[in-house]
């Protein structure tokens, strides 16, 4: 379908005006029947002659200097006893007006219903509960035969993760009061998949621009623009008819009426909510808006639940190698560390085997390849993978680095580098078994051999996937890196301890090792500022001085806004450069008596000694403004930080003052980011 000569759906009508919103350039072929007026002569008619003087003036006034109206306008057609809704926006040298009829819905009742559903969504505690309630609420609101949530995986294949099917007639007060919905009109799709080819890039990008799409009747005749020769770009038009291939696709699914809403995640399209009906199905604008509101709330709640779950998991992994004071006084050998923690690590990473390779020694637990195969794998990864991040695969039989190593019982590998020695990194390696998985495809899958796939009676394709392990999730890779950093420090501490035992014979080696231990123990390896252990020591010392002499001090806890998006979209290399540049700028702008430390990830702490509340707040605002000017190669967007400020109170401990600063920082994020918030007192 040409974007200059598009076909339009008949549930609304279109007016195309000149740039001044006065003269009519083109109209949809159904405008006359919809508004019960004669077909305007585009050579002589103006907007005023069709919509009246008052409404026309309002449209022109609200569009002045704007791309589109801030919201829809409603009006009553003088030739019909019916109200209509009007949307207006600019498209090139034209102004496009979309007109839809409005039906009596009982706005107060609809608003109350939506508010009740929003409260229920906000109370959901896990993803399954949230999505199940979302599809049920939308199905009750719209009355469609089937409402589904389709989630995209990393390959853009879609999986139906929640679904609600009609069980009776549409309730009064819905889109079509009294309308009967026959049972069993559309089959269930829960648990079935859709191949990525069903969601091409152009379609996904269209959902990013226009999150709501309505196809009232895929089989209905389309309207067109009059005069026929009118050249207008209507690619952003809500009334545009579906492309022929989309019509055929919906018809193959047995769908005639469809409403779909995008579910936008942190870094792109998380999924789609589909409302399908086997018959033509109108959905009025207020109901569409209500559905979009429910979907937006559910998506935000979903992202919050996932973030909380990931944070708990990361904390569990970090806690798995918390060294006691006795361990610090007498560090354990790599073998002792591995023997003590290997079982816990296997459980945390859902692995059936784990191995530690350090300076040619191999330590193994669970189901792992032979030691020589592990050593060969380390040699190959060391050469091929120079990045400091983890290396992983789901298919060892097809991966060039592992295919010839005889790892038939291990289909998945996650390897984390341990920079214990500048000349040869150590490696912590997790192994997963093959996970035979049966996938059910609602449409023909990406590859379609006759075997091992078969056509089921329900018209779903069944595929058995072999030779793959369960995928390594992003949070698991992050957790593995955190564990690798802690393990590197523990192994380095042991090496230093061993060297100290031979002080007389190994004085030079001891001096070099102590310098390396100092760097590892007190400085963050990426940013070269104090690490969490060292900044905690400084905070403890400042607490002692404050309690003894009453010398107030402040903590500024801040992190980079949207850092996860920078990492996911631009890569870890740009993310590392952002943290390094940020640390250098902040450290160079502090007083000599102030200190900067990396608290973890993208979080940093400034310890401002001899500082009052006003001085600390001024410092925070200065740092926030300074960061906004920072330029990093590869980053084309402004960098901002959210800062929480906590000033010492007499009853503070290191834990409580950090907790207050942390709560203030997250309040800054909730209030819009790129801001400073002052901590409240006595956070428990």
């Amino acid at each position: 379908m040409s974007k200059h000569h598009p076909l339009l759906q008949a549930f609304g009508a279109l007016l195309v005006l000149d740039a001044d919103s006065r003269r009519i350039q083109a109209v949809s072929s159904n405008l006359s029947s919809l508004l019960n007026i004669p077909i305007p002569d585009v050579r002589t008619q103006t907007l005023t002659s069709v919509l009246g003087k008052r409404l026309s003036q309002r449209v022109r006034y609200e569009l002045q200097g704007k791309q589109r109206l801030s919201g829809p306008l409603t009006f009553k057609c003088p030739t019909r006893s019916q109200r209509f809704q009007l949307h207006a926006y600019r498209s090139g040298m034209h102004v496009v007006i979309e007109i839809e009829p409005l039906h009596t819905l009982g706005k107060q009742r609809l608003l109350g219903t939506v508010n009740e559903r929003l409260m229920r969504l906000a109370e959901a505690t896990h993803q399954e509960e949230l999505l199940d309630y979302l599809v049920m609420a939308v199905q009750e609101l719209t009355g469609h035969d089937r409402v589904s949530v389709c989630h995209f995986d990393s390959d853009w294949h879609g999986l139906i993760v929640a679904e609600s099917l009609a069980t009776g007639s549409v309730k009064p007060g819905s889109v079509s009061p009294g309308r009967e919905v026959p049972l069993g009109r559309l089959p269930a799709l829960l648990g079935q998949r859709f191949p990525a080819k069903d969601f091409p890039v152009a379609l996904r990008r269209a959902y990013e621009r226009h999150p709501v799409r309505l196809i009232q009747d895929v089989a209905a005749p389309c309207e067109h623009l009059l005069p026929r020769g009118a050249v207008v770009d209507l690619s952003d038009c809500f009334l545009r008819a579906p492309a022929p291939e989309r019509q055929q696709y919906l018809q193959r699914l047995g769908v005639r009426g469809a409403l779909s809403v995008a579910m936008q995640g942190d870094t792109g399209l998380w999924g789609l909510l589909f409302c399908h009906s086997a018959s033509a199905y109108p959905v009025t604008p207020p109901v569409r808006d209500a559905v979009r509101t429910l979907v937006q709330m559910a998506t935000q709640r979903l992202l919050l639940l996932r973030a909380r779950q990931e944070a708990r998991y990361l904390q569990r992994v970090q806690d798995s190698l918390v060294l006691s004071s006795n361990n610090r006084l007498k560090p354990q050998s790599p073998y002792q560390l591995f023997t003590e923690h290997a079982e816990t690590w296997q459980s945390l990473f859902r692995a059936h085997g784990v191995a530690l390779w350090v300076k040619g020694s191999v330590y193994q637990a669970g189901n792992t390849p032979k030691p020589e195969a592990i050593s060969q794998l380390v040699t190959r990864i060391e050469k091929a993978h120079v990045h400091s991040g983890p290396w992983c695969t789901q298919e060892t039989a097809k991966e060039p680095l592992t295919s010839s190593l005889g790892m038939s019982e291990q289909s998945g590998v996650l390897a984390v580098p341990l920079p214990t020695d500048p000349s040869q990194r150590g490696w912590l390696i997790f192994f997963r078994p093959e996970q035979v998985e049966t996938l059910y495809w609602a449409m023909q899958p990406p590859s379609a051999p006759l075997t091992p796939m078969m056509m089921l009676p329900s018209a779903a394709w069944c595929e058995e996937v072999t030779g793959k392990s369960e995928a390594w999730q992003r949070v698991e890779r992050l957790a593995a890196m955190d564990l690798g950093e802690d393990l590197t420090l523990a192994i380095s501490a042991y090496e230093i301890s061993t060297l100290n035992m031979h002080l007389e014979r190994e004085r030079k080696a001891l001096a070099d090792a102590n310098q390396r231990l100092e760097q590892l123990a007190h400085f963050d390896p990426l940013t070269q500022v104090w690490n969490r252990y060292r900044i905690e020591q400084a905070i403890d010392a400042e607490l002692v001085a404050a309690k003894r002499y009453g010398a107030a001090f402040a903590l500024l806890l801040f992190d980079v806004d949207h850092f996860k998006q920078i990492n996911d979209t631009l890569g870890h290399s740009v993310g590392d450069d952002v943290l390094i540049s940020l640390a250098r700028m902040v450290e160079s702008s502090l007083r000599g008596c102030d200190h900067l430390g990396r608290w973890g990830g993208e979080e940093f702490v400034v310890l401002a000694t001899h500082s009052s509340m006003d001085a600390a707040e001024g410092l925070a605002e200065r740092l926030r403004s300074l960061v906004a000017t920072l330029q990093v190669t590869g980053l084309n967007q402004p960098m901002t930080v959210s800062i929480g400020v906590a000033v010492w109170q007499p009853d503070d401990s290191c834990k409580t003052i950090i907790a207050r600063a942390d709560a203030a920082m997250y309040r800054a994020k909730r209030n819009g980011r790129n801001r400073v918030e002052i901590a409240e007192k006595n956070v428990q």
Side-chain angles (χ1 to χ4, degrees), residues 203-211 213 260 262 264 269 272:
L203 181 64
R204 300 199 301 265
R205 288 177 178 170
Y207 274 116
E208 291 177 357
R209 297 195 312 272
H210 310 290
R213 180 76 166 114
S260 49
Q264 294 291 347
L269 196 61
L272 294 169

Side-chain angles (χ1 to χ4, degrees), residues 31 66 141 144 200 207 219 222 237 290 358 365 392 430 494 501 562 565 592:
L31 179 68
K66 297 180 181 178
L141 188 65
H144 278 87
Y207 274 116
C222 295
C237 180
V358 179
C392 63
F430 296 96
Y494 172 77
M501 295 172 59
H562 303 297
Q565 182 177 355

